[in-house]
Amino acid sequence: MSYRIVWFKRDLRLHDHAPLVEAARAGPVLCLYVVEPDLWAQPDASARQWGFVRESLRDLRRALAERGARLQLVVGDVVAVLDRLHALQPFEALHAHEETGNGWTYDRDRAVARWCRAHGVAWREWPQNGVVRGLRERDGWQSRRDAFVAGPVAEAPPTWTNVDLPWDEPPPRDALAAVLTDADAPQRQRGGRNEGLQTLQRFLASGGADYRRGMSSPLTAPDACSRLSPYLAWGCLSVREVGQATQARLAGAPLDRAQRQGLQAFRSRLAWHCHFVQKLESEPELEWRNLHPGYDGLREADWSDERFAALVQGRTGWPLVDACVAMLRETGWLNFRMRAMLVSVAAYPLWLHWRPVGHWLARQFVDYEPGIHWSQLQMQSGTTGINTTRVYNPLKQARDQDPHGVFVRQWLPAMRRVPDAWLFEPWRMPPEAQARCGVVVGQDIPEPVVALDAALRESKARVHALCARPEVQAGEVAVVQRHASRTGRREAPSRRRSAAERSQQELF
Ligand SMILES: Cc1cc2nc3c(=O)[nH]c(=O)nc-3n(C[C@H](O)[C@H](O)[C@H](O)COP(=O)(O)OP(=O)(O)OC[C@H]3O[C@@H](n4cnc5c(N)ncnc54)[C@H](O)[C@@H]3O)c2cc1C
């Protein structure tokens, strides 16, 4: 029997799924998801992400069953699985979406390509996220991406001839128990396309009225933001369908000013999503190497297990930082500004290299999307060479984003007893005040892990001194040429830096 395999990866849906549509058009199809223990053993993978994926797979299985098809779940190494399948029941083609993942998935996909070549199997891959594989330069990319998002959305085929595995595979219940030993996030978003669609409908129904006003504070952001990130990251929804639904909302029933601006701002962020995934596609090394090599050696030698542990355990002593860590642990989500603040605190006052911090945060985020994540880690740590150094002071952020301490008291029970007067710097409470409110600094709430003002001053000075070096400045042109977003025509070299900076600054 001649058939094709559709290999689901970070595209856990049937709608707008070109690999499936084309396979179903050509003949019988086997729908495959491979639970890869080696993938889930990577330092950026976590139980909360797998929990979300497992729920999404259940939804996918239901959607397939409605079409008389089955999702075949196999545990193992993809090449070994393909090899076994092909030996027992040869297939003619493997269909998948292009994946812009981490270094591990990059190598795995190369191994799959080699296997396909060696076995005369056609491996056909379709783009997603507006990403252009093999892109030589960024000029013109934006219009290609916009055309992709505006392009036809492929409806899921109503039915096709289903192919089952040629062996009995028990459901992979605890397949990842040995590799995923961390805890799930009790309050995380639930996975699946149905949840994703409801989340999208809720957001569009609100018209994004509170989006711009509410996105920065960790108090208002959970309701004001779309919360679509995990559904986009794992492909329960496609960027294209979300982009088109947003466009339709903008063109449909009348919106007030706040709603229109909110939806337009949201639409820009969808474009940023693609922009950052394209960055990683074009330069996979940005996952582990400074975008600008001039920053090599800046923080590496000063790594401190103690400062890192304080951050990860939410014991930095700065209430807003520790509350964000607590929320992240519990929910697997934080708004953009608080994510940026956590990285900035790690990179400047705590002077930690971005890579271990990035692995820790990746595991915390249910919506981990390597392209966005690693670019942001580098941007917020000041190692890209094309972004103005932006350092978030956690005390200022607390005053701006949580002036009455509602957020920190929600996530840090000891702070509920601390009077308003000491909300931002509780460690300064004199012993009498501590006795009155029943909170002991150093016991119930931590003392700051470093002296903030001095640490900020010193870290900024070190980064600025490096930036000022002629060889570092010279290296910036190459980075801009490769990565910065450009609009319309090609810009003269002398203008490139400022244009790139402008586009990057929007991201804050
Ligand atoms: C250090 C750091 C790490 C991050 N890691 C991730 C990650 O792993 N996965 C992830 O999806 N986002 C990441 N972001 C970007 C952003 O914080 C999240 O996309 C956003 O908070 C998700 O919530 P939302 O879906 O409600 O966002 P909304 O504000 O409603 O945005 C809608 C969508 O636009 C995209 N988006 C929003 N902001 C950005 C941005 N700044 N850059 C690129 N795309 C954006 C996302 O796909 C998001 O779902 C990171 C930001 C920082 C500072």
Side-chain angles (χ1 to χ4, degrees), residues 123-166:
W123 188 14
R124 294 200 51 206
E125 289 185 281
W126 279 260
Q128 59 174 350
N129 289 316
V131 166
V132 180
R133 188 153 278 185
L135 186 72
R136 287 193 184 281
E137 59 166 333
R138 262 302 178 103
D139 290 316
W141 174 80
Q142 185 67 44
S143 47
R144 288 172 78 176
R145 178 266 171 201
D146 291 348
F148 174 88
V149 172
V153 172
E155 290 291 336
T159 183
W160 61 87
T161 306
N162 176 68
V163 177
D164 283 335
L165 289 173

Side-chain angles (χ1 to χ4, degrees), residues 211 225-229 273 333 336 339 367-369 373:
Y211 187 65
C225 292
S226 73
R227 308 303 304 274
L228 286 168
S229 51
H273 179 113
W333 185 87
F336 174 80
R339 293 186 197 208
D367 61 22
Y368 172 51
E369 175 66 64
H373 187 73

Side-chain angles (χ1 to χ4, degrees), residues 128-293:
Q128 59 174 350
N129 289 316
V131 166
V132 180
R133 188 153 278 185
L135 186 72
R136 287 193 184 281
E137 59 166 333
R138 262 302 178 103
D139 290 316
W141 174 80
Q142 185 67 44
S143 47
R144 288 172 78 176
R145 178 266 171 201
D146 291 348
F148 174 88
V149 172
V153 172
E155 290 291 336
T159 183
W160 61 87
T161 306
N162 176 68
V163 177
D164 283 335
L165 289 173
W167 64 78
D168 276 338
E169 183 81 9
R173 275 191 204 298
D174 292 326
L176 299 176
V179 289
L180 288 175
T181 50
D182 57 332
D184 200 344
Q187 296 184 44
R188 71 167 161 76
Q189 290 174 268
R190 298 291 116 188
R193 178 168 173 81
N194 282 330
E195 289 281 343
L197 282 174
Q198 283 168 27
T199 307
L200 175 62
Q201 275 150 15
R202 248 193 327 269
F203 179 68
L204 291 181
S206 79
D210 298 326
Y211 187 65
R212 291 176 77 221
R213 199 175 36 219
M215 66 164 66
S216 295
S217 164
L219 270 177
T220 47
D223 293 322
C225 292
S226 73
R227 308 303 304 274
L228 286 168
S229 51
Y231 304 102
L232 291 168
W234 298 103
C236 306
L237 303 176
S238 72
V239 169
R240 173 151 52 196
E241 68 176 314
V242 174
Q244 293 191 10
T246 309
Q247 206 52 40
R249 184 73 176 91
L250 274 163
L255 299 164
D256 64 28
R257 194 153 173 262
Q259 288 176 316
R260 177 163 299 282
Q261 289 180 343
L263 288 183
Q264 285 166 344
F266 169 74
R267 192 176 52 184
S268 306
R269 276 155 186 84
L270 284 180
W272 296 351
H273 179 113
C274 305
H275 167 77
F276 283 114
V277 179
Q278 181 69 57
K279 276 191 180 213
L280 185 65
E281 174 70 31
S282 299
E283 193 164 344
E285 300 81 13
L286 72 78
E287 181 193 343
W288 60 84
R289 190 184 295 157
N290 287 334
L291 206 59
H292 188 320

Side-chain angles (χ1 to χ4, degrees), residues 93-107:
L94 177 67
H95 285 208
H97 273 116
E98 289 170 355
E99 180 173 0
T100 308
N102 60 13
W104 188 91
T105 65
Y106 182 84
D107 289 342

Side-chain angles (χ1 to χ4, degrees), residues 220-474:
T220 47
D223 293 322
C225 292
S226 73
R227 308 303 304 274
L228 286 168
S229 51
Y231 304 102
L232 291 168
W234 298 103
C236 306
L237 303 176
S238 72
V239 169
R240 173 151 52 196
E241 68 176 314
V242 174
Q244 293 191 10
T246 309
Q247 206 52 40
R249 184 73 176 91
L250 274 163
L255 299 164
D256 64 28
R257 194 153 173 262
Q259 288 176 316
R260 177 163 299 282
Q261 289 180 343
L263 288 183
Q264 285 166 344
F266 169 74
R267 192 176 52 184
S268 306
R269 276 155 186 84
L270 284 180
W272 296 351
H273 179 113
C274 305
H275 167 77
F276 283 114
V277 179
Q278 181 69 57
K279 276 191 180 213
L280 185 65
E281 174 70 31
S282 299
E283 193 164 344
E285 300 81 13
L286 72 78
E287 181 193 343
W288 60 84
R289 190 184 295 157
N290 287 334
L291 206 59
H292 188 320
Y295 292 82
D296 289 354
L298 180 64
R299 295 185 178 94
E300 286 86 335
D302 297 324
W303 178 260
S304 156
D305 285 338
E306 193 195 330
R307 292 195 302 270
F308 184 54
L311 177 66
V312 168
Q313 292 164 16
R315 291 189 290 103
T316 64
W318 304 307
L320 185 61
V321 173
D322 295 344
C324 283
V325 172
M327 173 175 166
L328 195 48
R329 195 183 302 131
E330 195 73 8
T331 68
W333 185 87
L334 264 185
N335 60 321
F336 174 80
R337 184 175 284 257
M338 293 301 107
R339 293 186 197 208
M341 180 192 72
L342 283 188
V343 176
S344 179
V345 162
Y348 291 95
L350 300 185
W351 201 245
L352 296 168
H353 192 276
W354 52 267
R355 189 141 158 86
V357 174
H359 278 141
W360 163 62
L361 283 176
R363 289 194 297 276
Q364 296 294 304
F365 294 150
V366 176
D367 61 22
Y368 172 51
E369 175 66 64
I372 304 176
H373 187 73
W374 292 109
S375 303
Q376 285 293 346
L377 256 294
Q378 293 221 35
M379 283 166 69
Q380 307 301 340
S381 305
T383 54
T384 64
I386 53 173
N387 307 109
T388 311
T389 316
R390 174 170 279 249
V391 181
Y392 289 85
N393 181 321
L395 304 191
K396 179 181 184 305
Q397 289 302 313
R399 288 195 176 90
D400 292 350
Q401 308 301 341
D402 185 31
H404 307 295
V406 178
F407 178 73
V408 297
R409 286 178 174 138
Q410 180 184 347
W411 292 103
L412 304 175
M415 286 300 293
R416 291 173 200 159
R417 306 201 296 274
V418 172
D420 282 355
W422 305 103
L423 196 56
F424 304 113
E425 298 176 279
W427 63 90
R428 293 198 195 281
M429 265 194 300
E432 319 81 69
Q434 294 183 39
R436 267 199 304 277
C437 67
V439 169
V440 180
V441 174
Q443 196 176 299
D444 302 312
I445 52 172
E447 298 207 42
V449 61
V450 295
L452 184 64
D453 288 343
L456 280 173
R457 240 191 338 271
E458 194 190 330
S459 56
K460 280 193 226 176
R462 286 171 84 168
V463 172
H464 288 151
L466 192 72
C467 290
R469 287 200 202 153
E471 70 275 18
V472 172
Q473 291 191 349

